[in-house]
Amino acid sequence: MVNTENAVDQLTAILEEILRSIPLVRALEATRSKTASARAELDLQLDLTLHDGTRPRIIVEFKTSGQPRSLREAVRQLVSYRDNSDSTAYPVVAAP
């Protein structure tokens, strides 16, 4: 069984490393959700600042299983967040 807290920590570190290696990315700020609920809370939000000044946002929902049911739930959560909070964010689902 996957420890969700450790998995999200590892995911955050990997994504930060990948994004920081992109020359276009000037700055990166990662924010983790403090609550674990069925509401439209995100596991991870990455705010980028690019060299041209644009500020894209990546929202990530992590699931401990790659089963279709879990992935559908993750997509539902990301869509709900985008519909209610930030329609310009780029959604990402992560699973082992």
Side-chain angles (χ1 to χ4, degrees):
M1 179 163 215
V2 176
N3 179 322
T4 304
E5 192 67 26
N6 288 341
V8 174
D9 288 341
Q10 290 175 345
L11 169 69
T12 302
I14 291 168
L15 286 175
E16 284 182 346
E17 181 180 347
I18 291 169
L19 292 170
R20 289 184 195 284
S21 72
I22 300 171
L24 185 64
V25 176
R26 187 175 65 199
L28 169 68
E29 181 182 337
T31 307
R32 300 241 339 251
S33 176
K34 302 282 190 278
T35 61
S37 71
R39 297 178 308 146
E41 296 291 332
L42 301 172
D43 289 324
L44 179 63
Q45 176 177 299
L46 298 162
D47 291 303
L48 309 173
T49 301
L50 306 181
H51 280 289
D52 66 359
T54 57
R55 296 186 46 89
R57 173 173 288 162
I58 299 171
I59 54 175
V60 183
E61 182 61 31
F62 180 81
K63 293 296 180 188
T64 56
S65 167
Q67 295 292 323
R69 177 183 50 213
S70 295
L71 298 179
R72 277 192 302 272
E73 176 63 19
V75 169
R76 186 200 62 74
Q77 286 178 282
L78 290 168
V79 167
S80 176
Y81 178 84
R82 279 187 53 159
D83 288 349
N84 295 314
S85 300
D86 188 351
S87 64
T88 62
Y90 296 95
V92 173
V93 175

